[in-house]
Amino acid sequence: MTQNGVLEKTYPAASFYDHQGKYRGILAWILSTDHKRIGLLYLGLILLFFSVAVFFGFLMRLKLIAPGFPLMKPQMYNAIFTLHGIIQIFLVVIPAIPAIFGNFFLPIQIGARDMAFPKINLLSWWLYASGAAIVFLSLFTAGGPIDTGWTFYAPYSLRTTVNVPLAVFGVFILGMSSILTGVNLVTTTHRLRAPGMSWFRLPLFVWGVYATAWVQILATPVIGITFALIMIERYFGIGVFDPAKGGDPLLYQHLFWIYSHPAVYIMILPAMGVVSEVIPVFSRKNIFGYKAIAFSSIAIASVGSLVWGHHMFVSGQSDFASVIFSLLTFLVAVPSAIKVFNWVATLYKGSIELKPPLLFALTFIFLFSIGGLTGLIQGALAVNMHLHDTYWVVGHFHYIIFGGMGFGFLAALHYWFPKMFGKMYDMKRTIGGWIILFIGFNILYFPMLILGWEGMPRRYYDYPPPFHTLHLISTIGSWILIAGLIWIFFNLIQGLRRGEKAEDNPWKGASLEWQIPSPPPTHNFEKIPIVGKGPYEFG
Amino acid sequence: MFVSWATGLSGEVVDQVFFFILAITVFLLGLITFLMVYFVIRYRKKRNPQPSDIHGNIWLEIIWTIVPTLLVLAMFYYGLTGFNFLKKAPGDALKVKVIARQWSWLFEYENGVKSTELKVPVGKPVKLSLTSQDVIHGFYAPAFRIKQDVVPGMTNTLWFQPTGVGTFDVFCTQYCGLQHANMVTKIVVIPVDEFDQWIQKRGKEIEATKGKPGGAQLFHEKGCVACHSVDGTPRVGPTLKGLFGKEERVLIDGKEQTVIADEAFIRTYILKPNTYVVVGYPPIMPPQALTEDELTELVHYIKDLK
Ligand SMILES: [Cu+2]
């Protein structure tokens, strides 16, 4: 029945929502080892945390609406920007695409019935939920909310009186979850591919998540060790990072960025995978340069692991180190550029329908390009001296993370929504929400680039009056952006509640997830498919 | 709206590199965006119902690998030459020590003169050696386009050469706690003879007091003003006005007690701030390296703050 000719019949098997397992009610979810249920569990928590972090971001912008605006005290502001960062990075952006969509779709896209280690998969979610709970607990116990910035730079993090140990312990646990998810995704990709699913027939989303999973496995232990050392230094006074005790604060920064720079690729690679899925489907055309895109994922993941020192150009690291790190930083831009060119070339001579998923994917390309190109500017050694630790950098990484990963996430959500929930949302309304979001996004973040170029340092709860106008514009942008987000998610919720029933293959995709019912049955495939062609052959 | 125009040699160098790379990136962004929008319109389903079956093109792949590589290498190289300039201070530079601490700056000239603002002569290179007494700070002078982290246990250096007189902002750019946003001061660029006069006059003052600054001056130089006022307004720390002889609620080892703020109390507080915590304030007062004379001067000064 399918274009792939791999499945013999549409079978009547019940959707995974109706599955009757050992447990009932909520337990049927939080104790389920079904990769699809686990993916949705992540979705629920991540959206919850995302809204908390957006609220904190809203408060920060409100505080900065005018110089001396008396919304909150400095300590409060310092705690809020710290929490905004920690929640967004560790609880939302890092896990979002691999843990939600990787979980839900990677096994289906390679023709598997579940992950390689379903129980470890569930354990990962529990670790994630506990890590998050510990981070939140730290806000209300000994010393109160952390005020260190999400970077926990020593020696400040060793000396401040707030509850640093518990917070870093929470992040430590989150790291465990991330490592286990990585192991699961790598093993699944290696071991559970259906017959005929050769490496170059893998959907590019799988390549993106696969490359990411390696980074999760290899880089995350470093941050775990680093945070363990912070705890040890705080509890036992062993001088690892504090120079007053014979430690080295630059060592901390190296260890921190050895993980946290690759973490940026953990955020962006899966989103790039989503874009590579969406563009061919809505252009009705094979992806341009499949291998170039697949290998550039691997190149980004590996070279990207060697550029962490570009966060430290002005830290006092040796000039020689800075030169090498700057060179590698420029080189890692090339594979990203290759991807962008291939995506744009895929549109050429296609038969394009600008449906919501494609709209979000193309917005990804535009905003991510601004993020990447501003990255080149600040990656130049001379210019970095000026722009480092200013609002320029804040603008830059919001273009990368929100403009890139965030819009990639929205593309994924709107692309796979009918498959995940078996319902369709109102596409016209999504476009309306997109317009608001896109405008708000640029009004919020573009002024930050100018502010930074004019010398506005980051992490300031107040600022001199000459910076007022741009801060005001940015704050207004934050309101528009939030309105856009509410619109878009409200529309999806409406789709869930009273949307039409979705077809099995509403976008006429050729990859395997579109060849099974929406929503998928518990075991995805009644018979494991035999794959005879690539994921973008629409025929 | 406000633009901090570049000043000094460093400002010119950085802006050149900045605008060079900016031009290339704006062009690339324009190209990508134009093609994307053009294709979406030109090849929309209505106009182009039948997609072409194209899988790739090896020559295109090679071109758009090599051309960007050359472009980024050019950017790297340009950034590197600027960096080489920014990192090599001329040998005849005026040397100034910069001391950073929560949350104030102190500048110390070779003849022992200390100042909370950085006064420098126009047209002369200035070389800063930066150290921190507590956590990491960042010395940033946006108009000069220069920045350097100030790390405890390390001495980092930075140099610049002003090309015009004026007053320019200095910000702390490495997050350093509560008053990070207030850790600001100025670079004051003045004509050479004015600078010479100033530094000689201040130098003589120091000799006259045999290198013993008075309490008021120490209160500034040691950074006490960053957290304490002397006029009754509370800052991060309590005001020191009228402290002497007052009954003070403090925590000693976590237990709340009442003590009389006598001379011994004030001495101990300054030497070992961890001994007490004034109720209602965070326990963040940093210890200061002080000579016995300096301590005596400071305590006298505080005693007189009626
Ligand atoms: Cu500071």
Side-chain angles (χ1 to χ4, degrees):
Chain A
M1 66 128 234
T2 70
Q3 288 151 351
N4 259 7
V6 289
L7 298 180
E8 275 133 31
K9 63 177 174 79
T10 321
Y11 45 92
S15 101
F16 74 99
Y17 289 106
D18 304 326
H19 179 71
Q20 304 282 322
K22 243 194 293 182
Y23 305 99
R24 288 287 165 275
I26 180 92
L27 289 185
W29 283 86
I30 61 175
L31 295 177
S32 167
T33 57
D34 179 349
H35 67 105
K36 299 181 287 301
R37 288 196 176 212
I38 296 176
L40 291 179
L41 286 177
Y42 276 111
L43 178 67
L45 281 187
I46 286 174
L47 287 182
L48 177 71
F49 298 148
F50 177 68
S51 40
V52 174
V54 168
F55 179 66
F56 285 151
F58 164 79
L59 288 180
M60 282 156 74
R61 279 311 331 162
L62 196 57
K63 167 73 184 87
L64 297 174
I65 192 169
F69 189 65
L71 179 67
M72 58 179 94
K73 292 224 164 115
Q75 184 62 27
M76 177 86 154
Y77 181 85
N78 294 346
I80 284 184
F81 83 67
T82 302
L83 287 169
H84 171 79
I86 291 179
I87 298 175
Q88 291 291 40
I89 299 279
F90 293 111
L91 292 178
V92 177
V93 177
I94 289 179
I97 298 188
I100 300 171
F101 300 107
N103 243 318
F104 201 112
F105 287 106
L106 184 132
I108 307 184
Q109 286 198 321
I110 65 173
R113 292 214 160 101
D114 204 326
M115 290 281 231
F117 309 113
K119 284 184 185 147
I120 293 186
N121 201 12
L122 180 62
L123 176 64
S124 297
W125 183 81
W126 274 97
L127 287 172
Y128 171 76
S130 330
I134 293 173
V135 170
F136 283 107
L137 187 66
S138 80
L139 308 184
F140 307 105
T141 43
I146 19 177
D147 66 349
T148 58
W150 78 278
T151 46
F152 296 102
Y153 266 22
Y156 183 72
S157 60
L158 299 166
R159 297 187 186 179
T160 176
T161 52
V162 300
N163 202 354
V164 170
L166 197 61
V168 295
F169 181 64
V171 179
F172 181 87
I173 301 287
L174 290 170
M176 299 287 206
S177 158
S178 191
I179 296 171
L180 290 179
T181 304
V183 169
N184 227 331
L185 291 167
V186 165
T187 317
T188 308
T189 313
H190 275 272
R191 306 295 301 158
L192 297 187
R193 279 171 294 131
M197 181 59 85
S198 60
W199 283 92
F200 293 125
R201 281 189 188 146
L202 288 177
L204 286 163
F205 176 68
V206 176
W207 273 102
V209 173
Y210 173 76
T212 307
W214 273 111
V215 184
Q216 285 175 272
I217 298 171
L218 294 174
T220 317
V222 182
I223 197 81
I225 294 164
T226 313
F227 285 168
L229 288 171
I230 288 273
M231 288 185 268
I232 291 174
E233 183 150 359
R234 280 194 70 122
Y235 282 129
F236 304 109
I238 299 168
V240 186
F241 301 130
D242 190 341
K245 301 193 182 98
D248 181 354
L250 289 201
L251 174 66
Y252 174 83
Q253 295 180 22
H254 278 292
L255 292 173
F256 179 81
W257 290 113
I258 284 176
Y259 167 75
S260 297
H261 189 77
V264 177
Y265 298 106
I266 299 184
M267 305 169 194
I268 207 71
L269 278 170
M272 291 173 152
V274 172
V275 173
S276 311
E277 288 303 277
V278 167
I279 290 182
V281 171
F282 292 89
S283 324
R284 313 307 306 152
K285 203 167 147 278
N286 212 307
I287 188 94
F288 194 97
Y290 175 99
K291 285 194 183 166
I293 294 183
F295 287 135
S296 61
S297 287
I298 304 294
I300 291 173
S302 43
V303 183
S305 300
L306 302 173
V307 301
W308 73 84
H310 67 209
H311 295 269
M312 299 169 60
F313 288 156
V314 303
S315 68
Q317 76 180 357
S318 80
D319 291 349
F320 181 69
S322 293
V323 172
I324 301 293
F325 280 124
S326 172
L327 178 63
L328 290 170
T329 301
F330 276 105
L331 290 178
V332 81
V334 175
S336 297
I338 293 176
K339 277 183 193 271
V340 169
F341 297 138
N342 280 293
W343 290 328
V344 175
T346 305
L347 297 170
Y348 175 69
K349 291 200 170 172
S351 179
I352 300 168
E353 271 188 291
L354 196 59
K355 297 244 171 94
L358 183 64
L359 187 58
F360 284 117
L362 298 182
T363 314
F364 169 105
I365 298 181
F366 176 70
L367 297 176
F368 175 76
S369 295
I370 297 183
L373 294 169
T374 51
L376 289 179
I377 296 175
Q378 77 204 22
L381 287 166
V383 185
N384 186 270
M385 266 202 150
H386 176 38
L387 298 178
H388 181 79
D389 271 339
T390 66
Y391 262 70
W392 172 280
V393 177
V394 181
H396 154 77
F397 69 71
H398 280 91
Y399 268 93
I400 293 275
I401 299 182
F402 194 162
M405 182 277 160
F407 277 81
F409 179 86
L410 288 173
L413 197 57
H414 287 83
Y415 179 55
W416 281 314
F417 186 92
K419 180 58 60 185
M420 295 165 87
F421 302 107
K423 292 276 184 66
M424 202 54 178
Y425 51 87
D426 183 334
M427 290 199 238
K428 282 219 185 73
R429 288 218 183 124
T430 311
I431 310 262
W434 172 86
I435 293 174
I436 303 173
L437 184 66
F438 182 74
I439 292 174
F441 181 96
N442 287 293
I443 298 182
L444 167 55
Y445 296 119
F446 199 80
M448 292 190 182
L449 295 173
I450 309 175
L451 273 172
W453 188 70
E454 292 187 345
M456 171 76 212
R458 64 191 284 203
R459 295 175 170 174
Y460 269 32
Y461 66 82
D462 205 358
Y463 53 85
F467 295 119
H468 183 194
T469 313
L470 288 165
H471 272 298
L472 175 66
I473 297 175
S474 177
T475 300
I476 294 172
S478 74
W479 303 335
I480 305 177
L481 174 127
I482 290 174
L485 282 176
I486 293 177
W487 179 311
I488 284 173
F489 279 99
F490 182 73
N491 182 41
L492 288 178
I493 292 170
Q494 285 295 84
L496 266 189
R497 289 172 55 203
R498 42 182 98 109
E500 282 168 35
K501 196 180 165 352
E503 297 161 38
D504 290 351
N505 193 358
W507 319 120
K508 306 284 169 283
S511 46
L512 288 176
E513 78 271 31
W514 299 113
Q515 319 311 327
I516 61 173
S518 302
T522 308
H523 294 295
N524 305 340
F525 306 95
E526 184 159 287
K527 251 178 83 180
I528 293 293
I530 296 168
V531 181
K533 57 181 193 178
Y536 309 113
E537 291 177 28
F538 304 110
Chain B
M1 221 178 290
F2 135 95
V3 173
S4 67
W5 297 111
T7 185
L9 298 183
S10 49
E12 280 168 36
V13 169
V14 171
D15 272 12
Q16 269 171 22
V17 185
F18 177 82
F19 285 111
F20 169 74
I21 305 182
L22 185 70
I24 300 180
T25 53
V26 167
F27 170 75
L28 285 175
L29 181 69
L31 183 75
I32 293 165
T33 314
F34 169 76
L35 286 178
M36 214 157 63
V37 174
Y38 175 73
F39 288 163
V40 168
I41 296 172
R42 170 68 186 76
Y43 300 111
R44 63 186 185 277
K45 194 176 175 188
K46 266 200 212 116
R47 214 175 140 185
N48 196 36
Q50 202 48 45
S52 307
D53 189 26
I54 308 171
H55 287 239
N57 181 316
I58 187 73
W59 284 107
L60 272 179
E61 299 288 350
I62 291 174
I63 290 170
W64 65 44
T65 307
I66 291 180
V67 174
T69 307
L70 294 178
L71 279 180
V72 296
L73 286 177
M75 295 177 196
F76 163 73
Y77 177 76
Y78 218 47
L80 177 63
T81 49
F83 186 67
N84 283 339
F85 175 82
L86 295 171
K87 281 288 174 171
K88 282 204 190 75
D92 61 344
L94 171 76
K95 294 195 179 59
V96 184
K97 264 199 220 159
V98 181
I99 296 139
R101 62 219 160 173
Q102 284 168 321
W103 291 282
S104 60
W105 299 96
L106 181 69
F107 303 95
E108 196 179 330
Y109 296 82
E110 274 185 309
N111 66 350
V113 170
K114 289 175 187 164
S115 164
T116 50
E117 285 180 344
L118 178 54
K119 273 206 170 92
V120 291
V122 67
K124 291 262 172 68
V126 181
K127 184 176 177 183
L128 309 175
S129 18
L130 311 107
T131 50
S132 164
Q133 293 184 348
D134 37 57
V135 300
I136 304 180
H137 303 276
F139 180 94
Y140 177 38
F144 291 93
R145 312 289 194 242
I146 51 165
K147 174 181 300 114
Q148 175 64 56
D149 276 3
V150 189
V151 185
M154 267 175 96
T155 305
N156 288 334
T157 58
L158 190 65
W159 82 279
F160 66 101
Q161 179 164 335
T163 45
V165 295
T167 305
F168 306 97
D169 286 317
V170 171
F171 297 126
C172 175
T173 42
Q174 188 59 266
Y175 175 70
C176 56
L178 193 62
Q179 292 295 327
H180 169 55
N182 278 339
M183 191 167 160
V184 297
T185 181
K186 300 278 181 205
I187 294 179
V188 184
V189 183
I190 49 181
V192 179
D193 41 347
E194 203 180 306
F195 176 81
D196 288 343
Q197 270 174 13
W198 173 78
I199 194 103
Q200 273 161 21
K201 188 168 148 254
R202 292 290 299 274
K204 289 217 184 82
E205 279 170 19
I206 294 185
E207 267 167 41
T209 53
K210 295 200 204 66
K212 280 189 209 151
Q217 200 182 337
L218 282 169
F219 199 72
H220 274 87
E221 283 176 5
K222 296 295 171 185
C224 317
V225 273
C227 307
H228 297 289
S229 79
V230 292
D231 62 1
T233 39
R235 293 200 184 142
V236 177
T239 183
L240 300 186
K241 184 181 177 188
L243 170 67
F244 184 68
K246 202 170 94 180
E247 282 190 3
E248 191 73 304
R249 297 290 293 167
V250 293
L251 299 172
I252 303 174
D253 291 331
K255 274 187 228 87
E256 202 174 316
Q257 298 177 15
T258 305
V259 293
I260 303 284
D262 55 11
E263 201 170 314
F265 170 80
I266 298 177
R267 282 184 82 94
T268 327
Y269 219 114
I270 301 173
L271 276 182
K272 295 196 185 113
N274 292 336
T275 322
Y276 308 105
V277 180
V278 180
V279 171
Y281 288 90
I284 49 169
M285 169 150 160
Q288 274 285 352
L290 297 169
T291 63
E292 182 52 39
D293 286 350
E294 287 172 334
L295 184 62
T296 315
E297 282 291 335
L298 262 178
V299 174
H300 277 267
Y301 173 70
I302 295 171
K303 270 172 78 173
D304 290 343
L305 292 171
K306 296 276 157 52

